[in-house]
Amino acid sequence: MSGQAIAVPVAPPRVSRPRSTWKLSGARRLLVPILLVALWQGAADAGFVSTRLLAPPNAIAVAAWELIVSGELPYHLLVSLQRVAIGLAIALSAGVSLGLIAGLSKLGEDAVDATLQMLRALPFLALVPLFILWLGIGEATKIALVALGATFPIYLTLFGGIRGVDPKLIEAGRIFGLDRWGLIRHVVLPGALPQALVGLRYALGTAWLSLVVGEQINATAGIGFLVMDAREFLRIDIILVGLLVYALLGLGADQLVRMLERRALAWRPSLIQEG
Amino acid sequence: MAEPVVSLRALSRRFHGPESPPVLDRIELDIAAGEFVALLGRSGSGKTTLLRTLAGLDLVTEGKAILPSRSAVVFQEPRLLPWKPVWQNVALGLRGSAARTRERALNALGEVELTHRAEAWPLTLSGGEAQRAGLARALVREPELLLLDEPFASLDALTRLRMQSLVSELWAAHRPAVLLVTHDVEEALLLASRVLVLANGRFIDDVAVPLPRPRRRSAPGFDALRLRLLAALGVDEDGHDAAAKAA
Ligand SMILES: Nc1ncnc2c1ncn2[C@@H]1O[C@H](COP(=O)(O)OP(=O)(O)OP(=O)(O)O)[C@@H](O)[C@H]1O
Ligand SMILES: [Mg+2]
């Protein structure tokens, strides 16, 4: 296939980027990671790296395969995913409600914002001991950690996004007959969305982080448990499989938000040109 | 004569408390139905302040104002909501069924020759197209009073000429009362039936423009009016500050 095949389309207004360019740039981005893995394998085969301390890629692949076939990996993955999902659902409801309350009214801001800013100053992982005392070492603590960590970015960006909406646009909406609810629906919320989606991306990041920490607390299932368990038996390969899964989950979540952004923010002319 | 659409009596506007110098100082203004009024004045003379009062954006605290129930504004910058396609921007705030409002919006876009961009995102419009969309959004409301705050100021000379004749045609077709804020004396004379000059918070000149339409710069009487308005603005023909030169 020649480069000609990727003809520049006569910009249809709703499509942000032509598909073929996407695949191409995806392949290009994968090049360096693949090269690194190949180097790693080569170094292990040549005996430069102790396979006892760092399992080579092929051993990791074998371990991953065995874990999948035995059903262990899917099971633990499901447990971890469930924790993140519940935690994020709580964070989204809390973050969005608080963001709306603080963003849409001065009274709400006075009531909510100062408190949340103070709480935010506290590194939330420092709350682990308290959570364990309050909630025990079961699921509740792990979910609470995920929820707490993810709430702040959602709240902050939504609040900031709402307050950052161009007052001229609000005024225009008002002149053209929108009532308060109409303004919120047609002007304020869509205007805050780009920021809020950035917040969602951050929230997913902190959610994984909290999950990793949470799953080190006396877990009996989940990817974190898999890793801690493997440590007991010095199974470096399984530990690495666990890390790989964490990384893939993080990447997947990021892609999900990007996809959401492409759909919801189609109105933004893309500033980044392919090149 | 019929009731004026706008009627201001001793209207004043201050920004920094009751003792501060007024930006608008006991203004008296009547605009008749269907009258095209241009408002000239130096930068900072209070043109936008007056327009905002007429749009009902600022509350009247000193003096009396009778304003029409239906007015619409086209601002200097288009102020389209970037997340709504052009036609939805035009239909913003209209009441009625979805199909009906869409039809009205498309009709208005047709009048400003923008039908082909109805589904486009506002950020992909050119400056002239965006201002036409803003004009369509104002027209679709069938306003009794159309307020234009330097709507052509950021356009290139050619686009500006086309916009001026478009506004002139639309005014002839719909006959709303118009208040056009502008810096441009010629623009005022090409479009308006009456030109007001604002300085120090008061109208220092109120000139009827009896020239036949369509207006031409070469028409007899055009130049005399132009010089008179430039003098009222305190600028001589070459754009020098007349007061500064006299000093
Ligand atoms: N919201 C405000 N608060 C305080 N001062 C204001 C406000 N709006 C306008 N002013 C002041 O009132 C005066 C008139 O402003 P206005 O915007 O009406 O001028 P203008 O004639 O429209 O000028 P331009 O031609 O540059 O647009 C200016 O001195 C301005 O600084
Ligand atoms: Mg102004």
Side-chain angles (χ1 to χ4, degrees):
Chain A
M1 211 165 94
S2 71
Q4 302 258 308
I6 315 160
V8 180
V10 187
R14 277 171 188 273
V15 178
S16 46
R17 274 196 264 186
R19 228 157 228 289
S20 45
T21 342
W22 253 98
K23 277 187 192 143
L24 199 78
S25 85
R28 220 168 39 192
R29 286 154 66 110
L30 279 180
L31 199 65
V32 171
I34 288 174
L35 223 72
L36 284 176
V37 171
L39 262 177
W40 174 8
Q41 183 71 51
D45 289 347
F48 293 138
V49 187
S50 155
T51 50
R52 215 167 45 81
L53 291 180
L54 186 63
N58 61 349
I60 298 173
V62 170
W65 179 246
E66 282 168 357
L67 285 172
I68 293 171
V69 172
S70 70
E72 263 181 283
L73 188 58
Y75 166 69
H76 291 297
L77 184 61
L78 217 65
V79 172
S80 287
L81 276 178
Q82 193 184 342
R83 287 175 185 146
V84 171
I86 299 176
L88 268 179
I90 297 173
L92 263 176
S93 345
V96 169
S97 325
L98 291 171
L100 289 177
I101 292 171
L104 295 177
S105 81
K106 191 79 190 89
L107 193 73
E109 181 185 350
D110 292 342
V112 171
D113 194 53
T115 320
L116 278 183
Q117 298 290 353
M118 270 188 271
L119 277 179
R120 191 177 68 104
L122 199 69
F124 70 94
L125 291 178
L127 293 177
V128 169
L130 261 189
F131 277 11
I132 293 180
L133 281 180
W134 290 341
L135 303 171
I137 49 175
E139 286 305 285
T141 293
K142 297 172 183 64
I143 290 171
L145 265 185
V146 173
L148 189 71
T151 300
F152 289 112
I154 293 174
Y155 164 78
L156 285 174
T157 51
L158 182 60
F159 176 62
I162 288 176
R163 287 306 165 92
V165 173
D166 186 354
K168 292 186 164 180
L169 289 182
I170 297 179
E171 195 176 78
R174 208 149 54 84
I175 296 181
F176 292 115
L178 295 182
D179 53 16
R180 192 172 156 72
W181 167 237
L183 281 177
I184 291 173
R185 208 176 82 150
H186 296 294
V187 184
V188 176
L189 293 185
L193 191 62
Q195 278 255 39
L197 284 177
V198 172
L200 182 60
R201 205 137 103 209
Y202 272 114
L204 285 168
T206 34
W208 296 131
L209 185 68
S210 326
L211 184 74
V212 174
V213 173
E215 290 192 332
Q216 316 233 333
I217 311 163
N218 193 42
T220 52
I223 300 296
F225 166 77
L226 199 65
V227 170
M228 300 303 280
D229 200 45
R231 197 194 55 187
E232 302 279 308
F233 300 98
L234 297 178
R235 289 290 302 271
I236 300 265
D237 49 348
I238 296 185
I239 294 180
L240 288 172
V241 170
L243 294 188
L244 199 66
V245 171
Y246 275 137
L248 288 177
L249 284 177
L251 269 180
D254 209 58
Q255 283 301 319
L256 211 71
V257 180
R258 275 172 200 269
M259 217 165 70
L260 210 67
E261 277 181 346
R262 272 201 301 280
R263 300 217 60 183
L265 307 182
W267 50 270
R268 289 212 291 202
S270 67
L271 298 172
I272 306 154
Q273 298 293 316
E274 289 296 315
Chain B
M1 220 184 92
E3 285 281 291
V5 176
V6 169
S7 173
L8 303 182
R9 291 288 168 267
L11 181 109
S12 295
R13 178 89 171 103
R14 301 165 209 266
F15 284 110
H16 307 285
E19 298 305 317
S20 64
V23 171
L24 299 177
D25 187 8
R26 288 162 289 152
I27 291 270
E28 307 275 329
L29 174 65
D30 284 328
I31 299 180
E35 191 178 18
F36 197 132
V37 179
L39 178 60
L40 288 170
R42 294 184 156 202
S43 186
S45 58
K47 303 183 297 295
T48 298
T49 306
L50 179 60
L51 180 128
R52 290 177 58 87
T53 304
L54 294 182
L57 282 170
D58 295 333
L59 290 179
V60 175
T61 48
E62 288 179 67
K64 263 175 45 181
I66 298 173
L67 303 174
S69 54
R70 270 176 301 130
S71 60
V73 188
V74 180
F75 297 97
Q76 178 166 350
E77 68 292 335
R79 296 202 192 183
L80 300 168
L81 302 177
W83 41 85
K84 286 183 181 292
V86 169
W87 77 265
Q88 285 185 21
N89 264 285
V90 174
L92 194 73
L94 290 184
R95 279 165 232 290
S97 74
R100 179 82 189 100
T101 52
R102 184 182 154 88
E103 192 190 316
R104 283 174 65 191
L106 290 179
N107 277 340
L109 283 170
E111 285 201 83
V112 298
E113 290 156 40
L114 213 58
T115 313
H116 61 295
R117 301 293 271 149
E119 301 288 346
W121 298 115
L123 293 183
T124 67
L125 298 182
S126 73
E129 286 172 337
Q131 279 306 31
R132 295 214 299 272
L135 202 54
R137 180 171 60 178
L139 278 178
V140 78
R141 282 143 236 278
E142 295 167 4
E144 294 167 79
L145 176 64
L146 179 60
L147 299 161
L148 307 171
D149 193 357
E150 306 191 40
F152 319 129
S154 58
L155 303 178
D156 65 273
L158 268 178
T159 314
R160 196 169 173 161
L161 286 179
R162 288 190 48 199
M163 284 292 286
Q164 287 168 355
S165 54
L166 179 65
V167 164
S168 182
E169 284 161 25
L170 290 171
W171 172 70
H174 298 276
R175 283 283 167 166
V178 178
L179 182 85
L180 168 71
V181 168
T182 175
H183 277 120
D184 183 342
V185 172
E186 296 200 1
E187 179 172 290
L189 288 175
L190 284 173
L191 295 172
S193 23
R194 188 175 144 208
V195 181
L196 300 168
V197 181
L198 189 63
N200 303 320
R202 312 210 54 141
F203 295 130
I204 54 164
D205 211 348
D206 185 342
V207 190
V209 185
L211 304 175
R213 293 174 192 268
R215 299 265 172 83
R216 302 220 182 308
R217 286 179 177 76
S218 54
F222 190 96
D223 219 38
L225 283 170
R226 191 172 69 89
L227 291 176
R228 172 173 169 185
L229 289 172
L230 283 175
L233 287 169
V235 183
D236 70 16
E237 224 182 324
D238 305 321
H240 294 123
D241 199 312
K245 214 160 78 177

